[in-house]
């Protein structure tokens, strides 16, 4: 027979300590009875929604005996949220709103975390130990499809994504009106940062070398190369340009939010060099309206792929006689754009290149060259000498 403990007018306990202990007691504010039990080491309390003492004791006995589960007002509680279910919801509702590359990353990252933590793991139970364990395994190559060690920059990206998913769950409600997560269990934990990230800036000589061989690679590569240099935009945004986004008469390009990493929709004027290369694109690919400026080889209605743009870059480097360098790719043109316009007001630069904040430009994109540093010192010397 099941052991019972403490019976009184104030509380009633059923079951055994450490096994199936259940307690009911009145809420001092409302008088309605509460039921309390432990699950996976956590103390859980819910209202029974009534003031019937006999009924409350009977419910405690039934729950402790395993004959019933807590069901306020006769309605069963929703199934506990697992990582698999959370990722399924996020992947179905949030991921489709992102760009092509971000969607691909989301899917692979969600699967990676599922394999590491387990699909039945409850997100609310994630802790510092899980955080540290993932960092060690990811750095060592024990996590991820490649099986190779990765840099702290990659670990940082993965963990920031996980934090974003948990933050989203802590703001989103289920069909019953309750939050998917009461709070982000990993909030405030320190994300590893790469001490010396590789942020290569393409030099003017390297750009000119690539430009000289660009027509030998593909006319689309030449167009993309010049547009990246003249507008400072990401290759992803350039790949998705359509003729309806371009007003050659006004000399303006409309950058759509859905193709910008930051979701920043804006218009920018373009240079004569950019307009000239766009005219070349029209001759090679007569199109208008919704037709892509850089069509895919086998589908004229589709945009050229990221893989094709990456391959063009590698071929151009080899043809131009440039030695392969980690970090020198399409994004190095974006850094060149930011550094070339270093003397311009940051607000102007952000509008031209599509940056939301000046802080991002200062931290990740601009880097003064040696000539600028020498010029700054010469100007300082001139100021001091003029005061003497």
């Amino acid at each position: 027979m099941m052991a019972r403990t403490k019976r009184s007018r104030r509380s009633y306990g059923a079951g055994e300590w450490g096994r199936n202990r259940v307690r009911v007691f009145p809420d001092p504010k409302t008088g309605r009875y509460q039921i309390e039990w432990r699950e996976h080491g956590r103390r859980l309390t819910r209202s029974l929604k009534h003031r019937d003492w006999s009924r409350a004791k009977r419910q405690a006995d039934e729950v402790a005996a395993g004959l019933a589960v807590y069901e306020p007002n006769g309605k069963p509680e929703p199934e506990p949220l697992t990582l698999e279910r959370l990722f399924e919801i996020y992947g179905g509702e949030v991921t489709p709103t992102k760009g092509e590359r971000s969607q691909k990353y989301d899917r692979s990252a969600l699967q990676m975390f599922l394999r590491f933590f387990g699909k039945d793991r409850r997100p609310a139970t994630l802790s510092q130990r899980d955080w540290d364990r993932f960092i060690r395994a990811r750095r060592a190559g024990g996590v991820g499809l490649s099986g190779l060690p990765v840099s702290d920059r990659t670990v940082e990206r993965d963990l920031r994504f996980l934090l974003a998913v948990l933050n989203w769950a802590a703001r989103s409600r289920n069909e019953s009106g309750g939050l998917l997560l009461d709070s982000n269990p990993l909030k405030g934990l320190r994300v590893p940062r790469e001490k010396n990230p590789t942020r290569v800036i393409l030099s003017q000589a390297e750009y000119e070398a690539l430009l000289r061989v660009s027509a030998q690679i593909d006319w689309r590569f030449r167009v993309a190369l010049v547009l990246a240099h003249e507008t400072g935009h990401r290759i992803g945004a350039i790949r998705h340009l359509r003729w309806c986004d371009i007003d050659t008469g006004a000399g303006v390009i409309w950058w759509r939010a859905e193709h910008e990493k930051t979701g920043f929709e804006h218009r920018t004027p373009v240079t004569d060099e950019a307009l000239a290369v766009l005219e070349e694109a029209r001759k090679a690919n007569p199109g208008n309206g919704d037709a892509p400026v850089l069509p895919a080889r086998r589908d004229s209605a589709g945009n050229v792929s990221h893989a094709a743009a990456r391959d063009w870059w590698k071929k151009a480097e080899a043809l131009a006689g440039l030695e392969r360098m980690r970090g020198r790719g399409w994004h190095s043109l974006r850094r060149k754009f930011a550094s070339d316009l270093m003397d311009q007001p940051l607000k102007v630069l952000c509008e031209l290149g599509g940056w939301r904040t000046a802080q991002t430009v200062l931290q990740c994109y601009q880097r003064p060259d040696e000539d600028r540093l020498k010029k700054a010192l010469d100007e300082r010397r001139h100021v001091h000498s003029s005061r003497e």
Side-chain angles (χ1 to χ4, degrees):
M1 183 175 181
M2 182 175 295
R4 294 183 181 175
T5 59
K6 193 175 180 181
R7 290 183 174 87
S8 73
R9 295 175 60 187
R10 298 185 64 184
S11 69
Y12 174 82
E16 299 177 5
W17 291 106
R19 181 170 167 266
N20 61 337
R21 182 68 173 176
V22 179
R23 187 171 75 96
V24 291
F25 56 92
D27 187 316
K29 294 183 179 179
T30 65
R32 294 179 178 179
Y33 287 106
Q34 304 279 314
I35 185 168
E36 179 185 273
W37 74 101
R38 283 189 175 275
E39 187 173 309
H40 301 295
R42 296 177 62 206
R43 179 181 295 176
L44 304 177
T45 303
R46 299 290 186 273
S47 174
L48 289 173
K49 309 291 187 180
H50 64 78
R51 297 184 179 86
D52 188 330
W53 179 233
S54 298
R55 180 184 173 192
K57 291 193 294 182
R58 185 171 63 253
Q59 286 178 296
D61 288 336
E62 290 173 348
V63 171
L67 299 177
V69 295
Y70 166 61
E71 297 181 2
N73 295 332
K75 298 179 181 179
E77 283 194 321
E79 288 292 322
L81 181 70
T82 63
L83 276 179
E84 182 178 41
R85 179 56 183 153
L86 172 59
F87 290 172
E88 181 181 286
I89 297 171
Y90 186 92
E93 296 181 10
V94 182
T95 296
T97 67
K98 302 181 181 181
E100 177 186 343
R101 290 188 68 195
S102 294
Q103 289 189 39
K104 185 177 180 180
Y105 170 75
D106 278 16
R107 288 191 290 268
S108 63
L110 291 173
Q111 287 301 314
M112 175 182 65
F113 284 121
L114 270 186
R115 287 192 298 270
F116 186 78
F117 294 123
K119 64 180 183 180
D120 295 325
R121 180 70 181 271
R122 297 188 183 183
T125 67
L126 293 173
S127 69
Q128 175 85 58
R129 293 178 63 195
D130 299 302
W131 181 270
D132 294 340
R133 187 164 57 91
F134 175 82
I135 292 174
R136 289 193 299 269
R138 189 73 166 116
R139 281 172 173 165
V143 187
L145 295 178
S146 68
L148 299 174
V150 299
S151 66
D152 277 349
R153 188 175 182 183
T154 299
V155 179
E156 178 186 1
R157 182 189 185 189
D158 294 338
L159 289 177
R160 289 198 182 281
F161 172 68
L162 179 60
L163 288 173
V165 174
L166 296 176
N167 283 334
W168 175 84
R171 298 190 304 268
S172 304
R173 298 187 179 276
N174 56 29
E175 292 76 6
S176 302
L179 290 170
L180 293 175
L181 274 180
D182 291 335
S183 63
N184 180 350
L186 302 178
K187 185 177 181 180
L189 296 185
R190 185 177 180 181
V191 177
R193 291 178 178 272
E194 193 165 351
K195 294 181 179 179
N196 298 299
T198 303
R199 290 173 179 152
V200 176
I201 298 177
L202 194 73
S203 69
Q204 182 64 26
E206 289 171 333
Y207 170 67
E208 291 174 0
L210 292 172
L211 188 61
R212 283 194 294 270
V213 302
S214 59
Q216 301 176 50
I217 304 297
D218 193 293
W219 69 266
R220 294 169 298 174
F221 172 66
R222 176 176 171 78
V223 173
L225 182 68
V226 174
L227 288 179
H229 182 265
E230 297 299 316
T231 69
H233 280 69
R234 294 179 178 85
I235 185 60
I238 293 171
R239 288 191 301 106
H240 284 92
L241 282 176
R242 293 184 175 270
W243 287 113
C244 55
D245 301 330
I246 298 169
D247 185 342
T248 53
V252 172
I253 293 181
W254 174 29
W255 304 95
R256 297 174 183 263
E258 60 264 34
H259 303 313
E260 286 289 323
K261 182 179 178 180
T262 59
F264 179 31
E265 187 164 292
H266 57 290
R267 295 173 184 268
T268 61
V270 291
T271 62
D272 291 340
E273 290 82 359
L275 289 175
V277 84
L278 284 170
E279 286 302 318
E280 292 180 21
R282 278 197 182 277
K283 294 176 182 178
N285 173 41
N288 50 50
D290 202 41
V293 175
L294 302 174
R297 183 179 295 277
R298 297 181 180 179
D299 179 12
S300 59
N303 302 100
V304 68
S305 69
H306 173 75
R310 180 191 59 213
D311 291 342
W312 288 339
W313 186 277
K314 290 180 180 179
K315 291 177 181 177
E317 279 188 325
L319 195 58
L322 299 180
E323 185 179 349
R324 286 290 296 159
M325 179 187 298
R326 180 173 177 262
R328 185 179 61 197
W330 287 102
H331 220 63
S332 64
L333 274 168
R334 186 161 166 80
R335 298 188 192 99
K336 181 179 187 299
F337 183 84
S339 296
D340 285 349
L341 297 179
M342 188 174 292
D343 295 334
Q344 296 298 318
L346 277 171
K347 180 63 177 176
V348 172
L349 176 58
C350 288
E351 289 291 331
L352 286 174
W355 286 282
R356 274 194 179 276
T357 64
Q359 184 179 11
T360 301
V361 176
L362 291 171
Q363 288 182 346
C364 305
Y365 288 91
Q366 283 188 337
R367 190 179 68 192
D369 56 27
E370 190 173 331
D371 289 339
R372 277 196 172 91
L373 295 176
K374 288 181 178 179
K375 180 181 178 182
L377 291 175
D378 289 341
E379 290 177 353
R380 177 175 179 266
R381 188 181 302 109
H382 177 70
V383 169
H384 282 294
S385 61
S386 64
R387 291 176 180 173
E388 295 175 357

